[in-house]
Amino acid sequence: MITIREALEPDYEAIWPMIRDVFRAGETYAVDPRISKEAARSYWMGQAAKTFVAVTDAGIVGTYYIKTNQPGGGAHICNCGYVVDPRAQGQGVARQMCEHSQDAARALGYRAMQFNFVLASNAGAVGLWHRLGFETIGTIPDAFDHPRLGVVDAFVMHKRLVP
Amino acid sequence: MITIREALEPDYEAIWPMIRDVFRAGETYAVDPRISKEAARSYWMGQAAKTFVAVTDAGIVGTYYIKTNQPGGGAHICNCGYVVDPRAQGQGVARQMCEHSQDAARALGYRAMQFNFVLASNAGAVGLWHRLGFETIGTIPDAFDHPRLGVVDAFVMHKRLVP
């Protein structure tokens, strides 16, 4: 049973170890792997329209943010980032967070959701986003220097949230 | 005769009216049209690896920035933004700045240049970037709410700078 709720400031103590491990690995997010705890807080919670956590009996097992992807004339499209605790993988947390984020984004007035930088090597994410209705609208060649795989492409993915 | 040189802090007094008018119009950049002078300075000069100005006998007639498009594993691709004084349009200032920026980017170690948000309605820019070797690698549908034209698409454009 997964509950998703808005993140509160103290939740960052549980959020940080999850996003830290993902950022330090440097395999999925275009973030400096040496990012500090405070800079990561700003990235995950400071620029966001809203940040959420996914909670089970085991505690906080996932987190995501929604933010405006481009200001000004582009402000009707949002961007989200999701991280799942490795110990909770395979339980549908990412799927549930992405579905939740689409409803949350609509409630915030966004008309579409865009992922700017989905690594081609991140097959699990690419497949899940496709199954959830996102289209690949662009491919950035040699976009990311993956620590194990070398240079990989990144996809721009997009889904309309309203007709 | 156009000279392009690195921007110095005092140049911002000449840069600001140019970028202000472009941002206020809200027709080409995904920037809040009400952006303040100081926030615009941060956008144009604060986050940039380098900012340049194009100078003629008439003074500063154009400006551009180079910045890293994505940190971490994406940091080998740069992004640039260009603005030409309307009174200097048609003199090849944009073309010369874009060519200059490619050399400057190579000198900074970037391997490719990406424009994240070129409005389909900005036909002059789209055509120029194509002529200068950029490819459209993605199309964001209904990406931008244009004050006169309504909702328009945006292109993601890309050029490799090294073989």
Short mmCIF file of all heavy atoms in Angstrom, two decimals, chain B residues 1 30 40 45 49 70 106 114 130 135 137 139:
data_model
loop_
_atom_site.label_atom_id
_atom_site.label_comp_id
_atom_site.label_asym_id
_atom_site.label_seq_id
_atom_site.Cartn_x
_atom_site.Cartn_y
_atom_site.Cartn_z
N MET B 1 31.85 46.62 -40.13
CA MET B 1 32.89 45.86 -39.42
C MET B 1 32.41 45.53 -38.00
O MET B 1 32.18 46.43 -37.18
CB MET B 1 34.18 46.71 -39.37
CG MET B 1 35.30 46.15 -38.50
SD MET B 1 36.09 44.66 -39.21
CE MET B 1 37.20 44.24 -37.87
N ALA B 30 11.82 31.93 -23.76
CA ALA B 30 11.01 31.41 -22.66
C ALA B 30 11.54 32.03 -21.37
O ALA B 30 12.24 31.40 -20.58
CB ALA B 30 11.06 29.90 -22.61
N ALA B 40 17.64 39.40 -15.04
CA ALA B 40 18.09 39.23 -16.43
C ALA B 40 19.62 39.18 -16.49
O ALA B 40 20.20 38.46 -17.30
CB ALA B 40 17.55 40.34 -17.31
N MET B 45 24.35 36.74 -17.79
CA MET B 45 25.78 36.80 -17.49
C MET B 45 26.19 35.95 -16.29
O MET B 45 27.35 35.57 -16.16
CB MET B 45 26.21 38.26 -17.23
CG MET B 45 25.93 39.17 -18.41
SD MET B 45 26.55 40.89 -18.22
CE MET B 45 28.32 40.70 -18.51
N ALA B 49 29.10 30.41 -18.95
CA ALA B 49 30.54 30.17 -18.99
C ALA B 49 31.22 31.43 -19.49
O ALA B 49 32.23 31.87 -18.94
CB ALA B 49 30.84 28.98 -19.91
N GLN B 70 23.55 20.96 -19.65
CA GLN B 70 23.17 20.05 -18.57
C GLN B 70 24.43 19.76 -17.76
O GLN B 70 25.46 19.44 -18.35
CB GLN B 70 22.62 18.73 -19.12
CG GLN B 70 21.35 18.84 -19.93
CD GLN B 70 20.09 18.92 -19.08
OE1 GLN B 70 20.16 18.86 -17.86
NE2 GLN B 70 18.96 19.07 -19.73
N ARG B 106 34.15 25.49 -28.68
CA ARG B 106 35.23 24.51 -28.86
C ARG B 106 36.41 24.84 -27.96
O ARG B 106 37.00 23.96 -27.33
CB ARG B 106 35.66 24.47 -30.33
CG ARG B 106 34.87 23.47 -31.18
CD ARG B 106 35.41 23.41 -32.61
NE ARG B 106 35.07 24.60 -33.36
CZ ARG B 106 34.06 24.69 -34.20
NH1 ARG B 106 33.30 23.63 -34.44
NH2 ARG B 106 33.79 25.81 -34.83
N GLN B 114 23.57 22.95 -28.25
CA GLN B 114 22.15 22.62 -28.33
C GLN B 114 21.31 23.85 -28.02
O GLN B 114 21.59 24.57 -27.07
CB GLN B 114 21.82 21.50 -27.33
CG GLN B 114 20.37 21.05 -27.35
CD GLN B 114 20.12 19.86 -26.45
OE1 GLN B 114 20.97 18.97 -26.32
NE2 GLN B 114 18.97 19.81 -25.81
N HIS B 130 19.74 26.44 -39.34
CA HIS B 130 19.89 25.36 -40.32
C HIS B 130 21.04 25.64 -41.28
O HIS B 130 21.86 24.76 -41.56
CB HIS B 130 18.58 25.16 -41.09
CG HIS B 130 17.59 24.29 -40.39
ND1 HIS B 130 16.22 24.43 -40.50
CD2 HIS B 130 17.78 23.24 -39.53
CE1 HIS B 130 15.62 23.51 -39.76
NE2 HIS B 130 16.54 22.79 -39.16
N GLU B 135 20.88 20.85 -36.74
CA GLU B 135 19.78 19.98 -37.12
C GLU B 135 18.66 20.08 -36.09
O GLU B 135 18.93 20.23 -34.90
CB GLU B 135 20.25 18.52 -37.13
CG GLU B 135 21.05 18.14 -38.34
CD GLU B 135 21.47 16.68 -38.23
OE1 GLU B 135 20.66 15.81 -38.59
OE2 GLU B 135 22.58 16.44 -37.75
N ILE B 137 16.44 18.25 -33.88
CA ILE B 137 16.45 16.88 -33.33
C ILE B 137 15.19 16.59 -32.52
O ILE B 137 15.03 15.48 -32.01
CB ILE B 137 17.71 16.62 -32.47
CG1 ILE B 137 17.78 17.61 -31.30
CG2 ILE B 137 18.98 16.68 -33.32
CD1 ILE B 137 18.83 17.26 -30.27
N THR B 139 10.82 18.16 -31.74
CA THR B 139 9.77 19.18 -31.85
C THR B 139 8.86 19.06 -30.64
O THR B 139 8.28 17.99 -30.40
CB THR B 139 8.95 18.99 -33.14
OG1 THR B 139 9.83 19.08 -34.26
CG2 THR B 139 7.87 20.08 -33.26
#
